[in-house]
Amino acid sequence: MFRKDKHAYTSGPRQLIVEKEPKSPVSEQFRSIRTNIMYSSVDKEIKTVLFTSATPSAGKSTTAANVALTYAQSGKRTVLVDADLRRPTMHYTFELTNQRGLSTAIVNDMPVENILRETIIENLDVVTSGPIPPNPAELLSSKKMMHLLKTFSMHYDMVIIDTPPLLAVTDAQVLSRIADGTVLVTDVTGNNRERLQDAKALLEKADANILGVIMNNKKMNTKNDNYYYYYGSDES
Ligand SMILES: Nc1ncnc2c1ncn2[C@@H]1O[C@H](COP(=O)(O)OP(=O)(O)OP(=O)(O)O)[C@@H](O)[C@H]1O
Ligand SMILES: [Mg+2]
């Protein structure tokens, strides 16, 4: 049914450069992010890493997917969790269906095996978002979510979590409290120092372990990205 060639994820709309061009300088940068995460904490092993940003479209999902790939390529059993229950993308990136996923596991008490999906990349599994729920923040702050994350970190060497932007909704803030580490991705082309500082303040309020900031140099998007419209107001 699916293409089984080695570069199956490089022809769709959301290509993974670490898979497509592993020797490129950009892929090397993603590997150095992996190394930096590894060395960022001496006392505590970092097993669950959350990627977020201050504002929309900073490159969170792109970074999370590529970093997850570098972990998988280094032999670590890795799971990439799409916890952006508002604008999820991982099912597109990995060409997976999305009828079941994180949201269904939380709401329907579905066994974890039902939502862990293998990818054609060795050592890399994905949990897609599942159908978009009306109350993402509530789902993500539930005991069930905490339990799921614990289960993931027991079964995998590395858990990478993609989330919505901090200044739009509370989802990432809530999750950063339970992740071992949080990485802030920022789009340097639209860089806004104040917003980055506001985002940092929210993470500190949640007692998040901020590992660092990734300066992403994204090409300008020509179409109007009306993100706050999609996210609406903070419902929690
Ligand atoms: N460094 C980059 N160079 C070129 N394009 C990029 C780069 N980083 C991200 N993009 C592109 O910009 C768009 C937004 O990136 P991405 O979806 O990763 O951002 P995001 O922060 O997850 O967005 P959202 O807030 O909607 O979840 C995507 O089309 C992605 O392919
Ligand atoms: Mg995203």
Side-chain angles (χ1 to χ4, degrees):
M1 182 167 68
F2 291 109
R3 285 160 296 149
K4 287 285 179 195
D5 56 303
K6 198 165 161 255
H7 299 302
Y9 303 132
T10 56
S11 56
R14 298 186 67 93
Q15 305 182 359
L16 295 169
I17 192 154
V18 169
E19 198 207 7
K20 190 183 181 187
E21 295 170 33
K23 294 196 166 67
S24 71
V26 175
S27 300
E28 189 50 43
Q29 287 298 313
F30 282 117
R31 282 191 291 274
S32 82
I33 292 169
R34 181 191 69 202
T35 311
N36 280 312
I37 291 172
M38 205 161 71
Y39 288 112
S40 61
S41 177
V42 192
D43 298 329
K44 192 181 170 202
E45 191 193 3
I46 305 282
K47 274 192 94 173
T48 54
V49 178
L50 181 146
F51 286 81
T52 191
S53 63
T55 50
S57 301
K60 295 177 290 298
S61 304
T62 309
T63 309
N66 280 290
V67 171
L69 245 157
T70 70
Y71 274 106
Q73 285 175 345
S74 74
K76 291 214 183 287
R77 296 253 315 123
T78 306
V79 63
L80 174 62
V81 181
D82 197 342
D84 187 341
L85 301 184
R86 297 165 193 269
R87 270 170 81 169
T89 53
M90 292 310 171
H91 56 292
Y92 296 128
T93 308
F94 292 92
E95 297 170 359
L96 297 164
T97 56
N98 198 24
Q99 288 98 332
R100 59 197 156 95
L102 194 60
S103 63
T104 49
I106 299 169
V107 175
N108 304 332
D109 231 357
M110 198 179 258
V112 73
E113 308 85 68
N114 290 12
I115 56 159
L116 288 166
R117 320 275 287 280
E118 278 184 12
T119 69
I120 57 147
I121 293 157
E122 208 185 339
N123 295 322
L124 182 65
D125 289 352
V126 168
V127 174
T128 64
S129 67
I132 295 174
N135 51 347
E138 200 182 313
L139 260 57
L140 295 174
S141 57
S142 65
K143 282 208 178 81
K144 179 74 189 172
M145 178 65 195
M146 208 181 273
H147 180 72
L148 278 171
L149 276 186
K150 275 206 187 112
T151 311
F152 296 151
S153 64
M154 274 191 302
H155 286 87
Y156 290 87
D157 300 320
M158 201 63 201
V159 184
I160 305 282
I161 310 162
D162 186 25
T163 64
L166 279 160
L167 299 185
V169 283
T170 55
D171 306 16
Q173 199 186 359
V174 160
L175 287 178
S176 69
R177 200 183 284 275
I178 46 175
D180 295 333
T182 295
V183 174
L184 259 174
V185 181
T186 187
D187 173 11
V188 290
T189 53
N191 195 12
N192 184 325
R193 240 190 142 89
E194 261 169 46
R195 286 187 162 172
L196 204 57
Q197 271 166 354
D198 289 347
K200 184 169 167 264
L202 286 176
L203 289 175
E204 281 166 351
K205 218 166 136 190
D207 273 332
N209 178 19
I210 306 171
L211 301 177
V213 178
I214 292 173
M215 314 291 276
N216 186 25
N217 195 357
K218 207 186 90 181
K219 280 183 210 134
M220 291 300 278
N221 201 343
T222 44
K223 74 171 190 291
N224 189 19
D225 207 353
N226 204 356
Y227 198 89
Y228 287 97
Y229 170 74
Y230 284 98
Y231 276 90
S233 60
D234 189 342
E235 79 278 58
S236 62

